[in-house]
Amino acid sequence: MSEHELSDGVERTRDRLIALRARLEQADAAPESREIASALSELWKLWDRLHARYGLLREILDLTNDVVFAKDGEGLYAMIISRGAAIIGKPKAEVVGADDRVLFEQADAERIMAGDREVMSTGVSRTHEEIRDVHGMPTTLLTTTSVRYDGDRKVRGVIGIAQDVTARRRSEREFESRHDRMRSMA
């Protein structure tokens, strides 16, 4: 289910809860109606909490400069934020449901997928740095990939965050260069 379909489903559920609550308010006050109204009230409170939490998460993801993604156990992207899709150079709709072989050069895809399989088999997070071409510019990405579990602690795939550390690495190289020049002058 895509993010858009999920959001639409949440809104449809909200509309159905509103309609059901209105119908119950019009029904006579039979004990069954009060019991249903109570259950509906609890559902409404749960919906509000879930909607608020999902909204906060969406806001965080939309505002971050990092790339955030999730893949299923087969290596298919289950989710990626817009920034991640932009770095890959494809619309989100093309990324979700695809695997790395569709998105990257063969050697890069095999390396990425092997790393994901290692994370899923060992349960140990993996952090690596690589330079990728992003919009024609070499970009240094620091990526951490972790195993993604379901409620029963079964492996469902991986989640990851990639940070653009290009400016940081450039500053470190410039500092080292200045430091080396100062040391040679001394």
Side-chain angles (χ1 to χ4, degrees):
M1 176 179 289
S2 75
E3 222 172 290
H4 180 70
E5 291 168 328
L6 179 61
S7 180
D8 284 351
V10 167
E11 291 306 314
R12 278 193 309 274
T13 301
R14 177 182 171 273
D15 293 344
R16 289 175 68 192
L17 283 172
I18 290 170
L20 184 55
R21 183 168 55 181
R23 283 191 2 233
L24 281 171
E25 287 172 358
Q26 292 174 356
D28 63 7
E32 299 85 19
S33 296
R34 278 180 269 157
E35 188 177 331
I36 291 171
S38 174
L40 181 61
S41 177
E42 290 300 314
L43 275 173
W44 189 259
K45 289 175 190 173
L46 178 62
W47 184 91
D48 278 343
R49 289 196 315 260
L50 286 172
H51 190 261
R53 186 171 290 173
Y54 178 76
L56 176 61
L57 181 58
R58 283 286 354 132
E59 186 177 343
I60 290 167
L61 291 175
D62 288 343
L63 294 175
T64 186
N65 287 323
D66 296 338
V67 175
V68 181
F69 61 89
K71 298 178 191 174
D72 66 16
E74 301 299 316
L76 301 177
Y77 282 84
M79 171 267 183
I80 189 165
I81 65 170
S82 297
R83 173 131 168 89
I87 283 181
I88 291 173
K90 303 222 182 256
K92 278 173 44 171
E94 277 185 44
V95 176
V96 174
D99 73 16
D100 293 308
R101 292 176 292 209
V102 174
L103 305 171
F104 302 108
E105 299 278 332
Q106 187 67 25
D108 288 341
E110 293 303 327
R111 183 182 37 74
I112 293 167
M113 293 171 73
D116 291 347
R117 286 189 298 272
E118 177 186 332
V119 167
M120 286 187 285
S121 68
T122 65
V124 177
S125 295
R126 176 179 180 257
T127 300
H128 66 285
E129 192 169 296
E130 63 184 340
I131 298 175
R132 300 203 59 82
D133 181 50
V134 176
H135 306 296
M137 299 293 296
T139 303
T140 306
L141 296 174
L142 180 65
T143 304
T144 300
T145 308
S146 301
V147 70
R148 179 175 157 222
Y149 296 102
D150 67 11
D152 295 327
R153 299 291 296 165
K154 290 182 185 172
V155 174
R156 291 190 61 202
V158 295
I159 54 173
I161 298 176
Q163 295 177 308
D164 180 349
V165 294
T166 307
R168 184 184 324 164
R169 295 299 181 251
R170 185 180 319 114
S171 294
E172 289 169 356
R173 287 190 302 272
E174 289 170 2
F175 175 79
E176 284 295 320
S177 178
R178 281 193 303 269
H179 188 263
D180 288 346
R181 280 194 304 260
M182 297 293 276
R183 193 174 20 217
S184 68
M185 290 169 59

